[in-house]
Amino acid sequence: MDVHNAILPGNFDEEIYMDLPLGYHIHIEQHEGEKLGNQKGAFTTILVYVNDIIIGGNSQREIDLLKAHLHRKFKIKELGPLKYFLGLEVARSSTGINVCQRKYTLEILRDSGLLGTKPASIPIELNHKLSHTTNEFLQDPTTYSRLIGRLIYLTITRPGITYAVNVLSQFMDRPSQAHLHSAYRILRYLKGSIGQAIFFSSKSSLHLKAYSDSNWAACPKTRRSVTSFCIFIGDSLVSWKSKKQVTISRCSAEVEYGALASTSCEIVLLLGLLKELSIDHAQPAILLCDNQAVIHITKNPIFHERTKVLSRSRI
């Protein structure tokens, strides 16, 4: 749905931010003798971005009643079933929902002049040594910053470029030709997989399963490590992350424990979201890690010099 005149004309001297107050709920009034919004077991979710609205739920009746309520309060244009929203292309079938950003990807390639480029097999070179350099700075860094910003938005449906984009976003203050060349490599990778998408299966079980990993001392300058994880609901990927840790770790086991902690926080957040959507998740979530040191310490929490920090954290 689209709200007319959501952005009123006018000149402002400062930026204005608005947010719903804590505990705010939409009260659907009775209309034409009906008692609305009380269907047992039904829930309705509204996603609002400025003047664009997505409505979802498990009861078509409740959705229709909510739309009628909004129509009485505001001038709203109904655009039908969700197909395109903020660059996201949504396709439905009996097997599930497919979400991609093909049009958005083509726009990035066109604006960068790389529509006819040769595709790359991987988004970033293996064992890269990218860092802040002292020469070959870009005269106009805005082009690089804008490109990285667009790639960050593209990670919504392209988790495969998340790590590469995370690395390149660290150099937006003083980008060089080497950084721009690496950004173009990501575009060449996208050229070979423009239609790749995220698929949410309708036949998958509603069971959270998470995979956690890390890269110890990945940053050559700060020696900070990288946390990475991906979380599935059944067979559908719903959350992923690749980000530098805020502290410097002295061993790989400590790094893995930090990554596991971050992944656990995301699992708790998703469990809370499922509960809010009235989705029962009775079984425990599964968290997997491949670090042998962490696995052995978990099974046998012995104390020695290399695990002193971890032991103190548990105390």
Side-chain angles (χ1 to χ4, degrees), residues 6 13 44 52 97 112 237 309-310:
D13 297 329
T44 306
D52 297 314
I97 300 175
S112 302
L237 181 63
V309 177
L310 302 178

Side-chain angles (χ1 to χ4, degrees), residues 301-314:
I302 59 175
F303 179 85
H304 54 76
E305 186 67 24
R306 291 181 63 83
T307 60
K308 184 182 296 184
V309 177
L310 302 178
S311 300
R312 287 176 179 174
S313 299
R314 286 194 295 271

Side-chain angles (χ1 to χ4, degrees), residues 105-107 109-117 191 194:
T105 303
L106 289 172
E107 290 176 354
L109 291 170
R110 181 197 61 201
D111 295 344
S112 302
L114 296 175
L115 272 175
T117 188
K191 175 62 167 37
I194 294 177

Side-chain angles (χ1 to χ4, degrees), residues 126-141:
L126 297 176
N127 302 318
H128 67 86
K129 301 298 181 182
L130 292 173
S131 61
H132 284 88
T133 60
T134 57
N135 53 16
E136 294 185 342
F137 290 121
L138 298 177
Q139 294 182 354
D140 183 14

